[in-house]
Amino acid sequence: MTQPLASLRQSLACAYPAAASETIALGAQSLDRRLGGGILRAALHEAYAETAADAPAATGFALALARRAMAGGGKPLLWARQEALTSESGAPYPPGLADIGLDPAAVAFIRVRDAKEALQAGAEAGRCATVGATLIELFGEARAYDLTASRRLALAAAAAGAPIFVSRVGASPAPSAASSRWLVRAAPSRALAANAPGSAAFTIFLLRQRGGAAGQEQHEWRVEWNRDRGAFEDRTFDTSSLSGPVASLPVGGTPGEGAPQRAGRKFG
Amino acid sequence: MTLADARARAPHLAVAQADPDADERLMLRLAAFGEQFTPLVALDPPCGLMLDATGCAHLFGGEAMMRTCILQAMARLSFTGRAAVAGTPEAARALARFGQEVVTPPGEDENFTRPLSIAALEAPKETSVALTRAGLTSLGDLADRSSAALTARFGDETMRRLTRILGREDARITPLRPLPECMVERRFAEPFLDLSAIENVLRPLIAEAMGILERRGEGGRAFEARFFRTDGAVAVLNFETGAPSRNVEALLRLFRLKADSLADPLDPGFGFDVIRFCVLNAETLAQSQIGFERQSAQEGDVADLVDRLAARFGRERVLRFAAHETHDPVRAASYVYAASPSKPNSWEKPEPGEPPLRPLFLFDPPQPIDTMAETPDGPPMHFKWRRVRHMIARAEGPERIAPEWWRNAVGRDRRTRDYYRLEDREGHRFWVFREGLYESETAAPRWFLHGLFA
């Protein structure tokens, strides 16, 4: 049963070399091993926010993936965002983008009225080979984003050889042509000195990976986005992040081993 | 004549309130219709149109034929008109309104306008009364007098009008719209009905216009396609490119996108008489060999994409970020049109090892929140936003940001803000601030949520 499938895969890989094989590694070993090297570059990927409050986390996760996809390419990110999201979670703030490692100068931003327009803009950009990555942010149960629409995006991504990310808030995961589908929840960060919030951390669930191994394998991770390395780091078994709100320290003692040190304070 | 008087004479008179606005709108529509004869059309109040036929008449087989053509087209729209062709706009107006509808041969305006009554001057009432009392009844009578004496008596304005009606002085009209850089059009013997074939008409038109631009070493920035319908309606489609372009296929694609995005789609009705393509704005564009330097070709590709997106969604929706040198977080970044010229502005690079200090999303305006803090100048222990209580697990701050006092208009109260980075027990990260310094600026500081971190 697996023999013909494997040979079929092989012949497909020969026919579409770029589309079939090239992956984007996420940076965290356990994650990449499970994904078989990473997520496909020329494909559609979805990130669902678990609750409305996790919207920035889902988009942040997608942006971090886009950052990995664009690394060193010098190609811009095209970001289409539904206008309704502005009242929901605010407008993109460029210094914040820079703070998670994306160059705001390399972002073209399209403010669209509804999901249909967002998908049109995304498909238009996704088809363009000079775009490094495309991010489409949708709000609510968008009827325009159906199997056909997602298939169209997947084909556009395959043709252009650059990933398209769809970040969704207020929607429950539904079947689509996406190559991978993630559920994202904000996770407590590793506290810095003086119990300051640290780098962006996410709890991510791999809901689906096309062609990936299904079944009993690990599908939940807690990851931290390391901006300086431009990579995710696996914190699944890191207990320091699971501790209570206030870490107790001996007087005059040093912070726990898990807590990273900061170079210095900078307030601009 | 009063209304009562008029009704007494004609009992079945239909009466309607005068609506000058509607009249003007109608005249503007007619002016747009008139543009299929010449690009230089001006309104001639109260109810006239002035068409500059210079260089256009031969397309219709001479001025007389052009005049007939225009009157026939008007008749099809159920308008009766009077039209005259003369050397100067004033002469044509005087002939059309007060004389015979003629086509004056070049240089012979005076022969035709001399017999007109002095009403053709359209001078103030006292002037015409004074002229009549002096026994001057036609323009010819006036023309023979010394103009110095007449100017002294009746003023400059009247005399200038006279010389223009007589064709002794020429003045250009001011057209409603400036002349395009380049204009090509297709006229149809039979009204053009097949919308699906419209690109077959536009493609050679655009190619022709681009040929003209290429010879001039220019590329177009702003374009317009005009569709003159048989019933007088004119559909206009405007589109722009971010950089000068002569690419026929790219322009066609922009046209297609624009046509798709129209609220009321292009409707041929009973067909188009004329389809016109104009280049409204052109800039220097050197002849270039494409496909040689890969890098520049790629940049062009992104610019094309921006053009296409702007054509479909509007310029105000296709944006990029611009940085500003200020410590005020709200003013530090703005959104500008993606194809607008960019100055090399540098975004501050985050310091290695630092967590994100600025949120990924910013609220404008900041959202008020209810907070509970341990000390008046400490971070909140918990806060309530959108009916949800967030228990704070980690906090950092304050980062004190004072208002830019040099920008503060008098009377506008902007207080110092103390910003905190907060993280609740679930792991959501927030950027909140307390407005006003406790005790020195305000007794009860208010709290706001300004942004969300990833």
Side-chain angles (χ1 to χ4, degrees):
Chain A
M1 189 59 204
T2 49
Q3 207 57 36
L5 251 180
S7 68
L8 192 63
R9 272 198 192 123
Q10 210 161 22
S11 62
L12 268 175
C14 293
Y16 306 98
S21 58
E22 200 187 338
T23 54
I24 307 165
L26 270 59
Q29 268 192 5
S30 61
L31 200 51
D32 287 334
R33 211 178 311 122
R34 165 71 172 83
L35 290 169
I39 56 171
L40 285 184
R41 178 177 291 279
L44 172 70
H45 304 281
E46 293 173 337
Y48 282 82
E50 194 181 52
T51 64
D54 294 315
T59 304
F61 177 67
L63 282 170
L65 289 178
R67 159 77 178 74
R68 284 208 57 92
M70 290 156 56
K75 293 180 178 178
L77 165 74
L78 199 122
W79 184 354
R81 189 164 207 255
Q82 218 175 314
E83 224 167 27
L85 281 160
T86 305
S87 59
E88 210 52 36
S89 59
Y93 185 54
L97 277 176
D99 270 358
I100 62 165
L102 270 163
D103 180 10
V107 179
F109 180 68
I110 304 163
R111 204 165 44 193
V112 289
R113 275 173 288 254
D114 50 32
K116 192 165 155 255
E117 285 195 353
L119 293 168
Q120 283 176 346
E124 187 81 44
R127 230 173 280 133
C128 190
T130 48
V131 169
T134 307
L135 171 61
I136 305 169
E137 262 190 285
L138 301 178
F139 176 66
E141 299 281 359
R143 196 164 332 138
Y145 187 64
D146 53 11
L147 258 174
T148 321
S150 68
R151 180 93 188 112
R152 198 172 295 139
L153 290 178
L155 287 173
I164 299 181
F165 301 100
V166 174
S167 155
R168 302 195 63 183
V169 188
S172 44
S176 72
S179 154
S180 75
R181 185 176 308 130
W182 303 84
L183 188 69
V184 184
R185 180 202 298 161
S189 62
R190 287 186 308 141
L192 303 171
N195 199 29
S199 300
F202 315 98
T203 304
I204 52 173
F205 302 86
L206 179 60
L207 299 181
R208 178 209 152 98
Q209 187 191 13
R210 180 172 284 236
Q216 312 308 315
E217 285 186 68
Q218 186 186 4
H219 67 279
E220 178 187 342
W221 293 268
R222 176 174 296 211
V223 291
E224 187 180 282
W225 173 246
N226 185 325
R227 175 206 51 226
D228 301 324
R229 280 181 50 219
F232 286 101
E233 284 168 2
D234 192 356
R235 301 280 173 210
T236 309
F237 303 108
D238 200 349
T239 45
S240 71
S241 60
L242 299 172
S243 63
V246 179
S248 52
L249 295 170
V251 178
T254 50
E257 281 157 79
Q261 298 292 315
R262 294 171 72 175
R265 301 291 295 123
K266 181 206 73 172
F267 279 137
Chain B
M1 195 184 290
T2 63
L3 179 58
D5 199 1
R7 277 197 167 135
R9 293 181 196 201
H12 302 297
L13 198 64
V15 178
Q17 199 82 32
D19 187 351
D21 290 343
D23 288 349
E24 197 183 328
R25 281 199 299 277
L26 175 68
M27 287 316 294
L28 282 172
R29 283 223 314 273
L30 281 179
F33 172 73
E35 279 186 22
Q36 64 178 289
F37 302 103
T38 161
L40 293 174
V41 178
L43 291 183
D44 189 26
C47 55
L49 285 182
M50 194 64 76
L51 276 62
D52 191 335
T54 314
C56 299
H58 70 277
L59 299 171
F60 297 87
E63 289 175 344
M65 282 298 290
M66 184 178 185
R67 180 181 159 278
T68 322
C69 245
I70 295 173
L71 283 178
Q72 275 171 359
M74 297 296 256
R76 276 206 300 277
L77 304 179
S78 337
F79 284 101
T80 12
R82 288 173 62 85
V85 182
T88 66
E90 285 79 5
R93 176 182 163 111
L95 284 167
R97 290 170 69 95
F98 301 96
Q100 320 142 280
E101 299 173 79
V102 289
V103 177
T104 63
E108 291 180 34
D109 286 350
E110 191 163 344
N111 298 344
F112 287 88
T113 49
R114 280 178 75 96
L116 294 182
S117 96
I118 53 157
L121 276 179
E122 297 177 70
K125 194 160 180 207
E126 49 269 34
T127 310
S128 30
V129 169
L131 285 169
T132 325
R133 288 219 181 111
L136 302 166
T137 53
S138 73
L139 296 187
D141 298 339
L142 279 176
D144 296 336
R145 313 261 150 181
S146 109
S147 63
L150 286 171
T151 309
R153 173 73 178 78
F154 298 109
D156 223 13
E157 193 50 44
T158 312
M159 292 322 293
R160 185 175 309 126
R161 198 161 179 98
L162 178 67
T163 52
R164 286 185 178 177
I165 290 177
L166 294 173
R168 291 174 184 172
E169 180 192 312
D170 194 8
R172 303 283 89 202
I173 63 169
T174 311
L176 280 175
R177 300 186 316 119
L179 209 55
E181 296 278 343
C182 158
M183 184 176 102
V184 287
E185 64 184 27
R186 191 72 73 243
R187 284 169 187 278
F188 305 99
E190 288 289 319
F192 181 86
L193 275 163
D194 186 7
L195 212 51
S196 59
I198 210 145
E199 285 184 23
N200 298 344
V201 179
L202 270 175
R203 194 186 310 265
L205 274 181
I206 297 178
E208 197 182 332
M210 293 308 114
I212 297 171
L213 288 185
E214 189 166 13
R215 280 194 290 283
R216 292 195 212 152
E218 290 179 335
R221 283 286 309 269
F223 308 87
E224 179 188 88
R226 274 187 179 246
F227 301 87
F228 296 88
R229 248 163 60 168
T230 313
D231 59 0
V234 182
V236 185
L237 251 101
N238 281 300
F239 48 96
E240 288 178 25
T241 57
S245 164
R246 281 196 300 260
N247 186 335
V248 178
E249 289 308 315
L251 292 179
L252 260 180
R253 206 157 51 216
L254 287 181
F255 166 79
R256 213 174 298 141
L257 288 173
K258 190 77 198 179
D260 286 346
S261 70
L262 285 184
D264 48 323
L266 206 56
D267 174 18
F270 297 104
F272 297 124
D273 276 336
V274 181
I275 295 179
R276 174 183 294 170
F277 180 76
C278 301
V279 180
L280 301 181
N281 205 333
E283 284 175 11
T284 316
L285 174 65
Q287 314 256 351
S288 64
Q289 181 176 356
I290 50 164
F292 203 77
E293 288 169 73
R294 192 173 159 70
Q295 186 57 38
S296 62
Q298 285 202 346
E299 273 169 24
D301 228 359
V302 172
D304 272 357
L305 174 67
V306 166
D307 287 342
R308 289 205 297 278
L309 292 169
R312 179 177 287 184
F313 302 112
R315 286 172 68 118
E316 70 286 353
R317 292 181 176 276
V318 184
L319 307 160
R320 65 174 176 82
F321 305 120
H324 301 281
E325 295 227 352
T326 168
H327 69 265
D328 181 346
V330 177
R331 291 200 340 106
S334 65
Y335 290 52
V336 294
Y337 174 48
S340 57
S342 62
K343 54 173 191 231
N345 45 27
S346 60
W347 296 93
E348 215 173 306
K349 284 256 174 347
E351 231 153 279
E354 287 283 323
L357 296 174
R358 290 288 180 263
L360 193 53
F361 296 103
L362 199 72
F363 285 106
D364 182 30
Q367 311 250 313
I369 48 174
D370 292 331
T371 62
M372 168 64 87
E374 254 176 344
T375 52
D377 51 359
M381 281 161 58
H382 56 81
F383 70 88
K384 206 167 158 189
W385 175 53
R386 287 183 180 161
R387 296 198 294 278
V388 178
R389 186 170 300 281
H390 297 275
M391 302 303 293
I392 301 308
R394 309 192 204 295
E396 182 184 63
E399 176 184 355
R400 181 158 295 174
I401 300 181
E404 295 181 310
W405 53 265
W406 57 94
R407 285 184 195 283
N408 263 12
V410 179
R412 212 174 100 215
D413 179 37
R414 277 207 53 191
R415 302 196 179 103
T416 310
R417 292 173 171 183
D418 276 352
Y419 279 91
Y420 292 88
R421 295 194 304 118
L422 304 179
E423 181 177 302
D424 70 5
R425 284 187 187 158
E426 284 75 46
H428 303 121
R429 284 163 283 275
F430 307 92
W431 206 41
V432 304
F433 68 86
R434 185 182 50 227
E435 190 182 55
L437 294 176
Y438 185 62
E439 281 186 335
S440 68
E441 281 185 7
T442 170
R446 292 198 301 155
W447 285 85
F448 292 90
L449 174 66
H450 205 172
L452 303 173
F453 291 89

